[in-house]
Amino acid sequence: MSAKTPEWAVPLQDKIEQLDSKVDRLLEQLQELSAAREQVQPPRVTQPTFCGYACSWDIDDAGWPSYIHLEDGTLALHREKQGHHWYSVTLGDGQYGEHFLKIRRASPPDGALVMPPPQAESSSEEEHSLQHLHTLGRAVHGDRWPTIGPRLVHTHTKGRTDKSTEMQAAELAALIGELQNGRG
């Protein structure tokens, strides 16, 4: 302001400067939202997977699929003996060949079984993003995800919440992006 500015114009000038800074902040936020929307979304899960392999829809009570599709197109059937689980293929003449995927635990490892949403066609994009967030979180952090997840949500919402269901779309997209890039 100059020395010739009337006294009555000084408060108006201050208000205009405040509004100017608010408009600048809004424009920055709009640019962030636009950038988050333009990120490529992962395809919807339409087939269940087990350890990265497409598997059957038939899952037993312990969480093991009855078979998985191997890369060469064969079906490997679930086997269990004395607490050990593995998948094997039929070689013919009643013989079985073991597949390298051996899991020596009583239950599948966390995140090994990924089921598509029961109503994938009617679920909203937000529900799909939330499911994708938690699938990625379990894949990256394993058993620690229930503890680490709320902390990451709290950080990405700038302390507003620690519940992923209360995240805004841009916050959710940013957290998913960080998990995909291994920074989350």
Side-chain angles (χ1 to χ4, degrees):
M1 284 185 249
S2 70
K4 296 180 183 179
T5 304
E7 230 178 275
W8 60 268
V10 172
L12 288 176
Q13 188 67 29
D14 290 340
K15 293 282 187 191
I16 290 172
E17 288 173 4
Q18 289 173 358
L19 285 174
D20 220 17
S21 67
K22 286 182 181 180
V23 168
D24 288 341
R25 276 187 270 145
L26 282 173
L27 286 173
E28 288 173 10
Q29 290 174 347
L30 281 173
Q31 288 173 340
E32 289 174 11
L33 287 173
S34 295
R37 188 176 3 165
E38 292 171 3
Q39 291 178 352
V40 176
Q41 296 296 319
R44 285 185 173 223
V45 176
T46 57
Q47 170 74 35
T49 60
F50 183 76
C51 293
Y53 295 97
C55 68
S56 68
W57 287 92
D58 304 326
I59 309 296
D60 67 17
D61 291 339
W64 296 93
S66 58
Y67 63 84
I68 59 174
H69 299 275
L70 299 179
E71 291 157 345
D72 63 2
T74 59
L75 291 180
L77 302 174
H78 178 238
R79 304 277 184 230
E80 177 182 0
K81 186 174 184 181
Q82 296 177 346
H84 297 291
H85 296 264
W86 71 94
Y87 286 83
S88 63
V89 293
T90 304
L91 298 174
D93 297 333
Q95 303 256 338
Y96 291 98
E98 291 183 11
H99 183 58
F100 65 87
L101 176 64
K102 288 186 178 182
I103 300 164
R104 303 205 181 272
R105 293 165 73 164
S107 62
D110 286 341
L113 179 64
V114 179
M115 292 295 289
Q119 300 172 340
E121 293 77 32
S122 63
S123 66
S124 72
E125 188 174 321
E126 182 180 330
E127 289 170 350
H128 174 64
S129 293
L130 281 171
Q131 181 182 10
H132 186 59
L133 168 70
H134 291 291
T135 301
L136 276 171
R138 283 189 302 276
V140 172
H141 295 288
D143 294 337
R144 298 175 304 147
W145 176 244
T147 306
I148 293 174
R151 283 190 255 153
L152 289 173
V153 169
H154 186 78
T155 301
H156 276 71
T157 61
K158 295 181 174 70
R160 185 174 46 82
T161 184
D162 61 353
K163 295 181 177 140
S164 61
T165 55
E166 296 175 2
M167 292 180 81
Q168 296 173 357
E171 296 166 339
L172 188 59
L175 181 53
I176 287 172
E178 286 194 14
L179 286 170
Q180 287 173 333
N181 294 327
R183 292 179 291 171

PDB file of all heavy atoms in Angstrom, residues 6 21 26-27 39 44-45 50 65-66 71-72 74 79-80 90-91 98 108 112 128 140 163 166 174 176:
ATOM      1  N   PRO A   6      -6.271   5.651   1.139  1.00  0.00           N
ATOM      2  CA  PRO A   6      -7.146   6.166   2.192  1.00  0.00           C
ATOM      3  C   PRO A   6      -7.246   5.174   3.354  1.00  0.00           C
ATOM      4  O   PRO A   6      -7.107   3.979   3.181  1.00  0.00           O
ATOM      5  CB  PRO A   6      -8.499   6.333   1.509  1.00  0.00           C
ATOM      6  CG  PRO A   6      -8.296   6.040   0.075  1.00  0.00           C
ATOM      7  CD  PRO A   6      -6.952   5.469  -0.113  1.00  0.00           C
ATOM      8  N   SER A  21      -4.835 -15.431  -0.705  1.00  0.00           N
ATOM      9  CA  SER A  21      -4.064 -16.589  -0.234  1.00  0.00           C
ATOM     10  C   SER A  21      -4.949 -17.825  -0.109  1.00  0.00           C
ATOM     11  O   SER A  21      -4.520 -18.942  -0.392  1.00  0.00           O
ATOM     12  CB  SER A  21      -3.359 -16.275   1.082  1.00  0.00           C
ATOM     13  OG  SER A  21      -4.299 -16.101   2.104  1.00  0.00           O
ATOM     14  N   LEU A  26      -6.729 -23.169  -2.326  1.00  0.00           N
ATOM     15  CA  LEU A  26      -7.772 -23.980  -2.975  1.00  0.00           C
ATOM     16  C   LEU A  26      -7.317 -24.487  -4.340  1.00  0.00           C
ATOM     17  O   LEU A  26      -7.567 -25.641  -4.699  1.00  0.00           O
ATOM     18  CB  LEU A  26      -9.065 -23.166  -3.121  1.00  0.00           C
ATOM     19  CG  LEU A  26      -9.909 -23.032  -1.870  1.00  0.00           C
ATOM     20  CD1 LEU A  26     -11.059 -22.074  -2.121  1.00  0.00           C
ATOM     21  CD2 LEU A  26     -10.456 -24.381  -1.448  1.00  0.00           C
ATOM     22  N   LEU A  27      -6.644 -23.648  -5.090  1.00  0.00           N
ATOM     23  CA  LEU A  27      -6.141 -24.071  -6.399  1.00  0.00           C
ATOM     24  C   LEU A  27      -5.113 -25.191  -6.264  1.00  0.00           C
ATOM     25  O   LEU A  27      -5.115 -26.145  -7.046  1.00  0.00           O
ATOM     26  CB  LEU A  27      -5.547 -22.878  -7.146  1.00  0.00           C
ATOM     27  CG  LEU A  27      -6.552 -21.874  -7.716  1.00  0.00           C
ATOM     28  CD1 LEU A  27      -5.831 -20.662  -8.291  1.00  0.00           C
ATOM     29  CD2 LEU A  27      -7.416 -22.526  -8.779  1.00  0.00           C
ATOM     30  N   GLN A  39      -4.386 -40.988 -11.726  1.00  0.00           N
ATOM     31  CA  GLN A  39      -3.559 -42.174 -11.520  1.00  0.00           C
ATOM     32  C   GLN A  39      -4.290 -43.408 -12.049  1.00  0.00           C
ATOM     33  O   GLN A  39      -5.505 -43.530 -11.947  1.00  0.00           O
ATOM     34  CB  GLN A  39      -3.248 -42.373 -10.041  1.00  0.00           C
ATOM     35  CG  GLN A  39      -2.326 -41.320  -9.490  1.00  0.00           C
ATOM     36  CD  GLN A  39      -2.072 -41.530  -8.017  1.00  0.00           C
ATOM     37  OE1 GLN A  39      -2.687 -42.361  -7.385  1.00  0.00           O
ATOM     38  NE2 GLN A  39      -1.155 -40.752  -7.474  1.00  0.00           N
ATOM     39  N   ARG A  44      -9.976 -54.602 -11.428  1.00  0.00           N
ATOM     40  CA  ARG A  44     -10.742 -55.259 -10.374  1.00  0.00           C
ATOM     41  C   ARG A  44     -10.387 -56.735 -10.313  1.00  0.00           C
ATOM     42  O   ARG A  44     -10.142 -57.366 -11.334  1.00  0.00           O
ATOM     43  CB  ARG A  44     -12.235 -55.136 -10.647  1.00  0.00           C
ATOM     44  CG  ARG A  44     -12.754 -53.774 -10.372  1.00  0.00           C
ATOM     45  CD  ARG A  44     -14.246 -53.739 -10.533  1.00  0.00           C
ATOM     46  NE  ARG A  44     -14.674 -52.433 -10.094  1.00  0.00           N
ATOM     47  CZ  ARG A  44     -15.725 -52.230  -9.337  1.00  0.00           C
ATOM     48  NH1 ARG A  44     -16.472 -53.228  -8.976  1.00  0.00           N
ATOM     49  NH2 ARG A  44     -16.045 -51.026  -8.974  1.00  0.00           N
ATOM     50  N   VAL A  45     -10.374 -57.262  -9.110  1.00  0.00           N
ATOM     51  CA  VAL A  45     -10.120 -58.683  -8.926  1.00  0.00           C
ATOM     52  C   VAL A  45     -11.396 -59.429  -9.295  1.00  0.00           C
ATOM     53  O   VAL A  45     -12.454 -59.188  -8.722  1.00  0.00           O
ATOM     54  CB  VAL A  45      -9.733 -58.980  -7.458  1.00  0.00           C
ATOM     55  CG1 VAL A  45      -9.550 -60.462  -7.228  1.00  0.00           C
ATOM     56  CG2 VAL A  45      -8.479 -58.223  -7.090  1.00  0.00           C
ATOM     57  N   PHE A  50      -4.287 -67.353  -5.073  1.00  0.00           N
ATOM     58  CA  PHE A  50      -3.605 -67.906  -3.911  1.00  0.00           C
ATOM     59  C   PHE A  50      -2.113 -67.857  -4.191  1.00  0.00           C
ATOM     60  O   PHE A  50      -1.643 -68.446  -5.162  1.00  0.00           O
ATOM     61  CB  PHE A  50      -4.050 -69.346  -3.651  1.00  0.00           C
ATOM     62  CG  PHE A  50      -3.426 -69.941  -2.419  1.00  0.00           C
ATOM     63  CD1 PHE A  50      -3.886 -69.576  -1.165  1.00  0.00           C
ATOM     64  CD2 PHE A  50      -2.386 -70.829  -2.512  1.00  0.00           C
ATOM     65  CE1 PHE A  50      -3.314 -70.104  -0.030  1.00  0.00           C
ATOM     66  CE2 PHE A  50      -1.808 -71.364  -1.380  1.00  0.00           C
ATOM     67  CZ  PHE A  50      -2.280 -71.004  -0.132  1.00  0.00           C
ATOM     68  N   PRO A  65      -7.675 -73.135  -1.002  1.00  0.00           N
ATOM     69  CA  PRO A  65      -8.426 -73.439  -2.219  1.00  0.00           C
ATOM     70  C   PRO A  65      -8.192 -74.893  -2.621  1.00  0.00           C
ATOM     71  O   PRO A  65      -7.130 -75.460  -2.360  1.00  0.00           O
ATOM     72  CB  PRO A  65      -7.844 -72.481  -3.260  1.00  0.00           C
ATOM     73  CG  PRO A  65      -6.571 -71.981  -2.696  1.00  0.00           C
ATOM     74  CD  PRO A  65      -6.580 -72.205  -1.230  1.00  0.00           C
ATOM     75  N   SER A  66      -9.190 -75.517  -3.250  1.00  0.00           N
ATOM     76  CA  SER A  66      -9.051 -76.933  -3.615  1.00  0.00           C
ATOM     77  C   SER A  66      -8.036 -77.135  -4.736  1.00  0.00           C
ATOM     78  O   SER A  66      -7.431 -78.186  -4.839  1.00  0.00           O
ATOM     79  CB  SER A  66     -10.399 -77.540  -3.985  1.00  0.00           C
ATOM     80  OG  SER A  66     -10.974 -76.821  -5.053  1.00  0.00           O
ATOM     81  N   GLU A  71       1.313 -71.886 -14.026  1.00  0.00           N
ATOM     82  CA  GLU A  71       1.633 -71.059 -15.191  1.00  0.00           C
ATOM     83  C   GLU A  71       1.565 -71.837 -16.499  1.00  0.00           C
ATOM     84  O   GLU A  71       1.299 -71.276 -17.547  1.00  0.00           O
ATOM     85  CB  GLU A  71       3.015 -70.434 -15.005  1.00  0.00           C
ATOM     86  CG  GLU A  71       3.014 -69.404 -13.897  1.00  0.00           C
ATOM     87  CD  GLU A  71       4.390 -69.160 -13.309  1.00  0.00           C
ATOM     88  OE1 GLU A  71       5.308 -69.969 -13.542  1.00  0.00           O
ATOM     89  OE2 GLU A  71       4.527 -68.160 -12.591  1.00  0.00           O
ATOM     90  N   ASP A  72       1.799 -73.150 -16.444  1.00  0.00           N
ATOM     91  CA  ASP A  72       1.749 -73.946 -17.681  1.00  0.00           C
ATOM     92  C   ASP A  72       0.337 -74.402 -18.019  1.00  0.00           C
ATOM     93  O   ASP A  72       0.129 -75.160 -18.949  1.00  0.00           O
ATOM     94  CB  ASP A  72       2.697 -75.148 -17.596  1.00  0.00           C
ATOM     95  CG  ASP A  72       2.310 -76.124 -16.492  1.00  0.00           C
ATOM     96  OD1 ASP A  72       1.292 -75.899 -15.802  1.00  0.00           O
ATOM     97  OD2 ASP A  72       3.044 -77.118 -16.317  1.00  0.00           O
ATOM     98  N   THR A  74      -1.741 -76.217 -16.074  1.00  0.00           N
ATOM     99  CA  THR A  74      -2.216 -77.390 -15.334  1.00  0.00           C
ATOM    100  C   THR A  74      -2.834 -76.965 -14.015  1.00  0.00           C
ATOM    101  O   THR A  74      -2.605 -75.863 -13.521  1.00  0.00           O
ATOM    102  CB  THR A  74      -1.057 -78.378 -15.050  1.00  0.00           C
ATOM    103  OG1 THR A  74      -0.056 -77.689 -14.302  1.00  0.00           O
ATOM    104  CG2 THR A  74      -0.462 -78.923 -16.329  1.00  0.00           C
ATOM    105  N   ARG A  79      -3.102 -80.732  -1.249  1.00  0.00           N
ATOM    106  CA  ARG A  79      -2.784 -81.953  -0.515  1.00  0.00           C
ATOM    107  C   ARG A  79      -2.437 -81.556   0.918  1.00  0.00           C
ATOM    108  O   ARG A  79      -1.906 -80.474   1.164  1.00  0.00           O
ATOM    109  CB  ARG A  79      -1.589 -82.685  -1.129  1.00  0.00           C
ATOM    110  CG  ARG A  79      -1.762 -83.018  -2.574  1.00  0.00           C
ATOM    111  CD  ARG A  79      -2.552 -84.284  -2.729  1.00  0.00           C
ATOM    112  NE  ARG A  79      -2.607 -84.628  -4.137  1.00  0.00           N
ATOM    113  CZ  ARG A  79      -3.732 -84.922  -4.758  1.00  0.00           C
ATOM    114  NH1 ARG A  79      -4.865 -84.945  -4.123  1.00  0.00           N
ATOM    115  NH2 ARG A  79      -3.716 -85.238  -6.023  1.00  0.00           N
ATOM    116  N   GLU A  80      -2.706 -82.480   1.854  1.00  0.00           N
ATOM    117  CA  GLU A  80      -2.377 -82.238   3.247  1.00  0.00           C
ATOM    118  C   GLU A  80      -2.027 -83.563   3.892  1.00  0.00           C
ATOM    119  O   GLU A  80      -2.703 -84.575   3.685  1.00  0.00           O
ATOM    120  CB  GLU A  80      -3.566 -81.613   3.974  1.00  0.00           C
ATOM    121  CG  GLU A  80      -3.333 -81.386   5.436  1.00  0.00           C
ATOM    122  CD  GLU A  80      -4.546 -80.809   6.143  1.00  0.00           C
ATOM    123  OE1 GLU A  80      -5.583 -80.584   5.505  1.00  0.00           O
ATOM    124  OE2 GLU A  80      -4.443 -80.590   7.356  1.00  0.00           O
ATOM    125  N   THR A  90      -1.105 -84.137 -11.282  1.00  0.00           N
ATOM    126  CA  THR A  90      -1.151 -85.538 -11.654  1.00  0.00           C
ATOM    127  C   THR A  90      -0.191 -85.771 -12.810  1.00  0.00           C
ATOM    128  O   THR A  90      -0.232 -85.071 -13.821  1.00  0.00           O
ATOM    129  CB  THR A  90      -2.584 -85.922 -12.082  1.00  0.00           C
ATOM    130  OG1 THR A  90      -3.468 -85.596 -11.022  1.00  0.00           O
ATOM    131  CG2 THR A  90      -2.684 -87.397 -12.408  1.00  0.00           C
ATOM    132  N   LEU A  91       0.686 -86.761 -12.656  1.00  0.00           N
ATOM    133  CA  LEU A  91       1.657 -87.090 -13.706  1.00  0.00           C
ATOM    134  C   LEU A  91       1.162 -88.239 -14.581  1.00  0.00           C
ATOM    135  O   LEU A  91       1.756 -88.543 -15.604  1.00  0.00           O
ATOM    136  CB  LEU A  91       3.011 -87.474 -13.092  1.00  0.00           C
ATOM    137  CG  LEU A  91       3.685 -86.379 -12.278  1.00  0.00           C
ATOM    138  CD1 LEU A  91       4.941 -86.913 -11.610  1.00  0.00           C
ATOM    139  CD2 LEU A  91       4.026 -85.191 -13.157  1.00  0.00           C
ATOM    140  N   GLU A  98       5.027 -83.091  -7.006  1.00  0.00           N
ATOM    141  CA  GLU A  98       4.840 -81.969  -6.099  1.00  0.00           C
ATOM    142  C   GLU A  98       5.234 -80.670  -6.788  1.00  0.00           C
ATOM    143  O   GLU A  98       6.206 -80.625  -7.516  1.00  0.00           O
ATOM    144  CB  GLU A  98       5.690 -82.155  -4.840  1.00  0.00           C
ATOM    145  CG  GLU A  98       5.207 -83.269  -3.963  1.00  0.00           C
ATOM    146  CD  GLU A  98       6.013 -83.385  -2.694  1.00  0.00           C
ATOM    147  OE1 GLU A  98       6.817 -82.477  -2.402  1.00  0.00           O
ATOM    148  OE2 GLU A  98       5.835 -84.389  -2.000  1.00  0.00           O
ATOM    149  N   PRO A 108      -3.133 -70.879   5.683  1.00  0.00           N
ATOM    150  CA  PRO A 108      -2.441 -70.111   4.648  1.00  0.00           C
ATOM    151  C   PRO A 108      -1.815 -68.854   5.228  1.00  0.00           C
ATOM    152  O   PRO A 108      -2.353 -68.273   6.172  1.00  0.00           O
ATOM    153  CB  PRO A 108      -3.547 -69.741   3.659  1.00  0.00           C
ATOM    154  CG  PRO A 108      -4.660 -70.670   3.944  1.00  0.00           C
ATOM    155  CD  PRO A 108      -4.547 -71.053   5.384  1.00  0.00           C
ATOM    156  N   ALA A 112      -2.138 -64.465   1.429  1.00  0.00           N
ATOM    157  CA  ALA A 112      -1.913 -65.424   0.347  1.00  0.00           C
ATOM    158  C   ALA A 112      -3.183 -65.641  -0.461  1.00  0.00           C
ATOM    159  O   ALA A 112      -3.128 -65.832  -1.663  1.00  0.00           O
ATOM    160  CB  ALA A 112      -1.430 -66.759   0.900  1.00  0.00           C
ATOM    161  N   HIS A 128     -14.006 -50.642  -3.608  1.00  0.00           N
ATOM    162  CA  HIS A 128     -12.927 -51.344  -4.303  1.00  0.00           C
ATOM    163  C   HIS A 128     -11.575 -50.765  -3.890  1.00  0.00           C
ATOM    164  O   HIS A 128     -10.618 -51.509  -3.640  1.00  0.00           O
ATOM    165  CB  HIS A 128     -13.121 -51.242  -5.816  1.00  0.00           C
ATOM    166  CG  HIS A 128     -11.981 -51.801  -6.595  1.00  0.00           C
ATOM    167  ND1 HIS A 128     -11.638 -53.124  -6.547  1.00  0.00           N
ATOM    168  CD2 HIS A 128     -11.083 -51.210  -7.407  1.00  0.00           C
ATOM    169  CE1 HIS A 128     -10.581 -53.331  -7.307  1.00  0.00           C
ATOM    170  NE2 HIS A 128     -10.222 -52.174  -7.838  1.00  0.00           N
ATOM    171  N   VAL A 140       2.346 -55.818   1.830  1.00  0.00           N
ATOM    172  CA  VAL A 140       3.579 -55.093   2.145  1.00  0.00           C
ATOM    173  C   VAL A 140       3.999 -55.296   3.601  1.00  0.00           C
ATOM    174  O   VAL A 140       5.167 -55.532   3.893  1.00  0.00           O
ATOM    175  CB  VAL A 140       3.409 -53.576   1.851  1.00  0.00           C
ATOM    176  CG1 VAL A 140       4.587 -52.778   2.350  1.00  0.00           C
ATOM    177  CG2 VAL A 140       3.209 -53.355   0.359  1.00  0.00           C
ATOM    178  N   LYS A 163      -9.215 -44.189  10.630  1.00  0.00           N
ATOM    179  CA  LYS A 163     -10.070 -45.206  10.000  1.00  0.00           C
ATOM    180  C   LYS A 163     -10.053 -45.016   8.487  1.00  0.00           C
ATOM    181  O   LYS A 163     -10.362 -43.938   7.975  1.00  0.00           O
ATOM    182  CB  LYS A 163     -11.492 -45.100  10.525  1.00  0.00           C
ATOM    183  CG  LYS A 163     -11.589 -45.418  11.997  1.00  0.00           C
ATOM    184  CD  LYS A 163     -13.009 -45.332  12.477  1.00  0.00           C
ATOM    185  CE  LYS A 163     -13.021 -45.743  13.925  1.00  0.00           C
ATOM    186  NZ  LYS A 163     -13.879 -44.962  14.722  1.00  0.00           N
ATOM    187  N   GLU A 166     -13.048 -43.552   6.591  1.00  0.00           N
ATOM    188  CA  GLU A 166     -13.327 -42.119   6.687  1.00  0.00           C
ATOM    189  C   GLU A 166     -12.373 -41.282   5.844  1.00  0.00           C
ATOM    190  O   GLU A 166     -12.411 -40.056   5.902  1.00  0.00           O
ATOM    191  CB  GLU A 166     -13.254 -41.678   8.149  1.00  0.00           C
ATOM    192  CG  GLU A 166     -14.313 -42.325   9.020  1.00  0.00           C
ATOM    193  CD  GLU A 166     -14.179 -41.994  10.494  1.00  0.00           C
ATOM    194  OE1 GLU A 166     -13.268 -41.218  10.858  1.00  0.00           O
ATOM    195  OE2 GLU A 166     -14.973 -42.524  11.279  1.00  0.00           O
ATOM    196  N   ALA A 174      -3.596 -41.549  -2.582  1.00  0.00           N
ATOM    197  CA  ALA A 174      -2.195 -41.247  -2.254  1.00  0.00           C
ATOM    198  C   ALA A 174      -1.569 -42.364  -1.428  1.00  0.00           C
ATOM    199  O   ALA A 174      -0.433 -42.777  -1.679  1.00  0.00           O
ATOM    200  CB  ALA A 174      -2.112 -39.920  -1.500  1.00  0.00           C
ATOM    201  N   ILE A 176      -2.527 -45.558  -1.327  1.00  0.00           N
ATOM    202  CA  ILE A 176      -2.388 -46.734  -2.207  1.00  0.00           C
ATOM    203  C   ILE A 176      -1.146 -46.566  -3.084  1.00  0.00           C
ATOM    204  O   ILE A 176      -0.368 -47.503  -3.252  1.00  0.00           O
ATOM    205  CB  ILE A 176      -3.674 -46.937  -3.052  1.00  0.00           C
ATOM    206  CG1 ILE A 176      -4.792 -47.456  -2.174  1.00  0.00           C
ATOM    207  CG2 ILE A 176      -3.398 -47.887  -4.220  1.00  0.00           C
ATOM    208  CD1 ILE A 176      -6.147 -47.502  -2.858  1.00  0.00           C
TER     209      ILE A 176
END
